[in-house]
Amino acid sequence: MPTLYETSRLLASQSYQQWVSTELFSFGWFFTLGVLAIIYVIWLKLVDTNRLSQLLLMGSLSAIGFVIGELALIELFGVAEYKIRPIPFIPPLFIISITKAPVLFMLAQQYSTSWKIYALWAAAGSAVLSFVLFPLYSLIGIFQLHNWSYFYQFIYMFTNGLVARGLLLLVLSLEQGYSFRSGLNQVFGGLQPAAAKPLAMDKNEKTDSEQ
């Protein structure tokens, strides 16, 4: 009886052979890369480089959440089947959730000054991906849903965007608190009490000592 490791290696080999023989260089493969390139070009044109580290942290938090979610939804519950993958990985990277959605959330964060504005931008981006791009991918044959709906996908993506921004604000708050405490330590740490000046000897004591 094959071990779990041997079974996983066999499945990985079969998955790779399928990717090479039917997915690589197909129309859906080129279409996926084309959409991905367009989104990244737009992001590079619009991104505020002065806030790049903050925005990349936002995108990374969102992407991590999507990786965990995709592993659970696809591997454990089988809600979707990706038939064309840019690279032979499962869950498939560079499809929609793990890359395209985080880019939209980064732009939403960049142009938002409040939770309300961010929620509107995140909802609009999630709606475009869930109700426009996902059906288009399904029509082309890039993926197929199983016991899942585009509305569920919208809720899933929108929730990820809210959680990612919440975590980002938490990290920034902790960072600011640490910087404030460090500043206080630098200010008050340099204030050393003045050395006590030795008292002058009593005149009589001085006279006695000189005698």
Side-chain angles (χ1 to χ4, degrees):
M1 182 176 180
T3 64
L4 181 61
Y5 172 78
E6 292 171 341
T7 302
S8 64
R9 296 308 304 158
L10 177 61
L11 291 176
S13 176
Q14 293 176 346
S15 176
Y16 178 76
Q17 292 300 324
Q18 176 182 339
W19 181 77
V20 171
S21 60
T22 62
E23 301 176 34
L24 184 62
F25 302 135
S26 64
F27 173 77
W29 187 83
F30 282 110
F31 184 84
T32 301
L33 293 184
V35 173
L36 181 66
I38 291 172
I39 289 181
Y40 271 103
V41 168
I42 294 174
W43 180 74
L44 290 174
K45 292 288 185 181
L46 298 179
V47 67
D48 182 0
T49 55
N50 294 323
R51 301 169 57 190
L52 185 59
S53 59
Q54 179 190 126
L55 296 174
L56 288 177
L57 175 59
M58 170 82 174
S60 299
L61 292 171
S62 175
I64 292 172
F66 277 124
V67 168
I68 297 173
E70 297 290 307
L71 284 172
L73 292 174
I74 296 178
E75 290 297 295
L76 295 180
F77 300 103
V79 301
E81 175 188 0
Y82 285 90
K83 297 184 176 181
I84 298 178
R85 300 159 293 171
I87 54 179
F89 292 156
I90 298 176
L93 303 178
F94 310 113
I95 293 290
I96 294 181
S97 300
I98 299 177
T99 50
K100 298 179 178 65
V103 169
L104 294 182
F105 293 151
M106 283 190 285
L107 292 178
Q109 171 64 17
Q110 176 176 312
Y111 291 105
S112 299
T113 56
S114 66
W115 268 106
K116 181 179 180 180
I117 296 176
Y118 174 82
L120 291 175
W121 278 111
S126 299
V128 170
L129 294 179
S130 301
F131 301 121
V132 177
L133 194 57
F134 259 101
L136 184 59
Y137 274 23
S138 179
L139 181 64
I140 294 175
I142 296 176
F143 82 101
Q144 180 180 354
L145 293 180
H146 301 284
N147 299 319
W148 193 249
S149 69
Y150 299 126
F151 178 75
Y152 293 158
Q153 185 68 26
F154 167 77
I155 297 298
Y156 163 61
M157 299 181 73
F158 180 61
T159 301
N160 175 281
L162 297 181
V163 172
R165 187 174 195 265
L167 292 175
L168 173 67
L169 296 181
L170 175 61
V171 171
L172 295 179
S173 176
L174 294 174
E175 183 181 35
Q176 291 174 358
Y178 177 77
S179 299
F180 178 74
R181 289 191 298 271
S182 299
L184 289 179
N185 291 334
Q186 291 178 0
V187 171
F188 293 104
L191 298 179
Q192 300 295 336
K197 192 174 183 179
L199 295 174
M201 291 187 301
D202 185 83
K203 186 175 182 180
N204 294 331
E205 293 178 355
K206 181 179 181 181
T207 301
D208 294 339
S209 63
E210 291 175 351
Q211 290 178 349

